[in-house]
Amino acid sequence: MGIDLAVEIGNLKLKTPVLVASGTFGYEDDYVELIKENRLGALVTKTITLKPCQGNSPPRVIETPSGMLNSIGLQNEGVEIFLEKKLPLLSQLQIPIIVSIAGERIEDYGLLAKRLDKVKEISALEINISCPNIESEAECLFAQDFYLTYGVVKAVRESTDKTIIAKLSPNVTDIVSIAQAAFDAGAEALSLVNTFFGMAIDIEKRKSKLGSIYGGLSGPAIKPIALYMVYKVAQAVKLPLIGMGGVVSSQDALEFFMAGATCVAIGTGNFINPRIAREVVKGIEEYLKKNKLTSIKELIGRLGN
Amino acid sequence: MVQIKAEIISNSEVAPEHFKLILESPEIAQEANPGQFLHIRVHEGFNPLLRRPFSIYRVSSNQIEILYKIRGKGTEILSGRTPGEILDVIGPLGKGFPLPEQQNTQAPVTYLLVAGGVGVAPLLFLAERLREVKNLPAESGSRKFGKKSKIKIILLLGAKSKDYLLSEKEFKDLCDEVKVATEDGSLGFKGLITDLLRDLLNTEYSLLNTILYAAGPIFMLQEIKKIANIFKILAFGSLEENIACGLGGCWGCVVKTVQGYKRICKEGPVFNLEEVLWE
Ligand SMILES: Cc1cc2nc3c(=O)[nH]c(=O)nc-3n(C[C@H](O)[C@H](O)[C@H](O)COP(=O)(O)OP(=O)(O)OC[C@H]3O[C@@H](n4cnc5c(N)ncnc54)[C@H](O)[C@@H]3O)c2cc1C
Ligand SMILES: Cc1cc2nc3c(=O)[nH]c(=O)nc-3n(C[C@H](O)[C@H](O)[C@H](O)COP(=O)(O)O)c2cc1C
C-alpha cells in the first residue's frame, strides 16, 4: 500500500506535511529551480507589509552555537510589488502559496487581508504577529498580548474568506492562552514558533554583533523549546498546528508530528541545504514504511506514556 | 548556478594560516565569472551551522579553486578536509566584476587591481580574464598588427609582511606590473597598500584613465572609496558581510547603498564603491 502524506490545514489540502517557513525562501529564478523537486506541501512567503519596508541596519545575521540570530526587519517591497512581480514566479512551483502578512497597527492587517482576499493564486494567509524585528503600535509583540492577538486575528477574519493561520511568538509566559485567543478570533491553524529574542556580543569591540542590537534566534538550538510549545498547545487547543524551530532532518520533523503538529515548516535548514525538504519528506516516508504505517495522520499527536 | 557534491582534489597550506582548495566541478568552472563566489558546507554537522562563502580564485575547464584564511571554526574544519572527500557546494553565486568586452583602441586604459591580504582571491581570476581581453586582437577598423596593446594591468599587492604575500608569482605572469606593500616593510613599499595607491596616483598621471578593482578588508575598501573619489576614477570592490542563504532569499547580507539596502550575495558581492554608504 502507498504511503499517504496528505494533511489538511483549514480548507487547504497539502500533499506533504513539509513547508518552507516564512522569510527563508528566495523569490529568485535560481532558487525556484533549486527547490522545484522538494515535494513541498506549501510555501510560506517572506512576510509582506502594506508599504515597502527598508529593514534594519547590518549586520543582520550572525551565527551562534547550532543556531543563528537575525534582525532582517521585514525588508520587502510592499504588497503591490509582491503581487505584480513575485507572486507570478512563486505560482510556477504549483504548490499552495501561503502569504505571510504583518503590520504596525491592527487595521493594517485587515487592509492587507482585504487586498489579498480575491487573489486566486494565494491559498491562505499567515498572520505574523510575532516578528521580533519591527516596531508596532503595541508596546510589545502583538503575539505577546492576549487581547492584541485576538484583535489582529479578528480583523483578518473579517476581511477574508481564505484560510487563516496565526503565527505565534515563543517569547511569552503562557503560549496556551495566546493560542486560545487566536482560536477564539477565528484562526484555522497556528504556526509555532517564530524566533526567540536573543543577542550576541563582540567582546573586542564591546558592541552587539547585530546592527539592531538584538534579534531572533532560530535553528537546531531552539528545537527542544519549540517542540515543548507545540506539545503544550496541541494538548489544549483543537487546531492544526504547523510546528517549526530547528527542523533540519526527518527525525526532527517526526518529533514535531508526535508532539502534535499536523505539519512542519523548515526555516534555517533551507540555508544549510536548499534541498533539505526533499530529504525530510523522504525520511518521513521511510519511517512510516519501516513502522508499517500508511498515513502520516497515524503519527500526529501520538505520543506514548 | 548549481548545487553539487564536489570532490576535493587538493587542500594545502600556501602561507601561514592560508590554504588553497581545489575542487572538481566542470559545471561551476564553465559558468563562473571573476568576483563570483561559492557557498560551501564545510562539514555534515550542524555546528558550525551555515555554509561559508569564498570567492572563486581560479578556474580551469574542470576545476575551481578557492584561497582562504583560517579565521574561526568553519575555516578550521575546512582546512582539515582531505583529497577524495566530497563537499556540498553551491555556485557560482552573485554578480562579479564588470569586464571590458573587448579592447578599446580609442584610449589607453589601465586596470588597477588592489589586493589586501586574502583579497587576492577574486583578483587573480579577474587578472586572468583581463589578460585574455588584453590578448585579443584590437577592434576591427584599426590596424591590427604591429600595434602595442593599450591595456595595462597593474596589481598592488598588500600584506602584513613578506611571509603573508599571496599569489605574487601567479600575478607576475599575468600583470604588466606588480607592486608590493608590506606593513612591516619586509618587502616593497613600507606601509598600507592604500598609501601606496595614493602615492602612485599622485605621481603617475597616465593612471588617470583607470578602472580600479579591489578586494580586501573593509577599512581598505573604505579608504579606496575616498581615494577613487578624489582622483575621479571608477572603482569596484568586492564586499563581505555575514551571509546566511547566499541565494538572495533571507536579506541577511545587506550593505547600505544610495539605492537602499542591497544584498551582497545577489546584487553584489562586487559594487561600484561610489554607490556604497558605509555607516
Ligand atoms: C562574498 C564573500 C567572499 C569571500 N571570499 C573569501 C575568500 O576568498 N577567502 C577567504 O579567506 N575568506 C573569504 N570570505 C570570508 C569568509 O567567508 C569568512 O572568513 C568565513 O566565513 C569565516 O568562517 P569561520 O567559521 O572560519 O569563522 P567565524 O567563526 O564565522 O568567525 C571567526 C572570526 O572571524 C571573523 N570573521 C568572519 N568572517 C569575516 C570576514 N569576512 N572578514 C573579517 N573577519 C571575519 C568573525 O567576526 C570572528 O571574529 C568571503 C566572504 C564573502 C562574504
Ligand atoms: C533570516 C530569517 C528571516 C525570517 N523572516 C521571517 C518573516 O519574515 N516572517 C516570519 O513570520 N518569520 C520569519 N522568520 C522565522 C521563521 O519563519 C521560523 O519561524 C523560525 O526561524 C524558526 O524556524 P527554524 O528554526 O527552522 O528557522 C525568519 C527566520 C529567519 C532565520
Side-chain angles (χ1 to χ4, degrees), chain B residues 37 52-55 67-69 71-76 118 121-122 238-243 264 269:
Chain B
F37 69 96
R52 297 292 190 262
F54 300 97
S55 301
L67 185 74
Y68 63 97
K69 174 179 176 178
R71 285 202 224 260
K73 235 182 186 167
T75 43
E76 178 79 50
V118 77
S238 177
L239 270 50
E240 294 184 7
E241 247 306 335
N242 302 333
I243 290 191
I264 301 258

Side-chain angles (χ1 to χ4, degrees), chain A residues 23-26 28 30-31 34 46 54-68 72 75 209 219-220 248 268 271-275, chain B residues 1-4 39 41 46-52 88 90 93 241-245 247-256 261-263 266 279:
Chain A
T24 60
F25 164 83
E28 314 295 333
D30 304 350
Y31 214 165
L34 263 185
K46 169 137 200 82
Q54 72 153 4
N56 290 327
S57 53
R60 288 179 175 181
V61 290
I62 180 78
E63 188 169 321
T64 55
S66 299
M68 64 178 282
I72 311 297
Q75 177 163 0
K209 289 186 180 175
V248 292
T268 305
F271 303 161
I272 306 166
N273 178 10
R275 291 175 169 142
Chain B
M1 185 268 290
V2 290
Q3 180 181 6
I4 48 142
H39 213 21
R41 192 165 175 201
F46 296 106
N47 192 23
L49 185 70
L50 300 170
R51 287 168 185 268
R52 297 292 190 262
D88 181 339
I90 303 179
L93 295 172
E241 247 306 335
N242 302 333
I243 290 191
C245 75
L247 296 163
C250 72
W251 291 88
C253 61
V254 300
V255 58
K256 196 169 200 171
Y261 288 120
K262 288 193 176 175
R263 296 164 293 187
K266 199 76 200 178
E279 283 155 354

Side-chain angles (χ1 to χ4, degrees), chain B residues 102-123:
Chain B
Q102 54 185 171
Q103 265 210 53
N104 175 356
T105 51
Q106 307 309 317
V109 51
T110 303
Y111 296 108
L112 194 53
L113 279 48
V114 185
V118 77
V120 296
L123 295 181

Side-chain angles (χ1 to χ4, degrees), chain A residues 21-24 46-47 61 68 70 72 74 100 126 128 130 167 193-195 218-220 222 244-247 265-269 271, chain B residues 250:
Chain A
S22 178
T24 60
K46 169 137 200 82
T47 300
V61 290
M68 64 178 282
N70 89 78
I72 311 297
L74 298 191
S100 168
E126 183 175 84
N128 179 3
S130 47
K167 183 159 180 182
V193 294
N194 208 317
T195 54
S218 64
I222 69 170
M244 71 194 86
V247 175
I266 304 176
T268 305
F271 303 161
Chain B
C250 72

Side-chain angles (χ1 to χ4, degrees), chain A residues 222-233:
Chain A
I222 69 170
K223 196 193 79 183
I225 333 179
L227 197 61
Y228 165 75
M229 291 186 157
V230 166
Y231 174 76
K232 287 298 273 188
V233 172

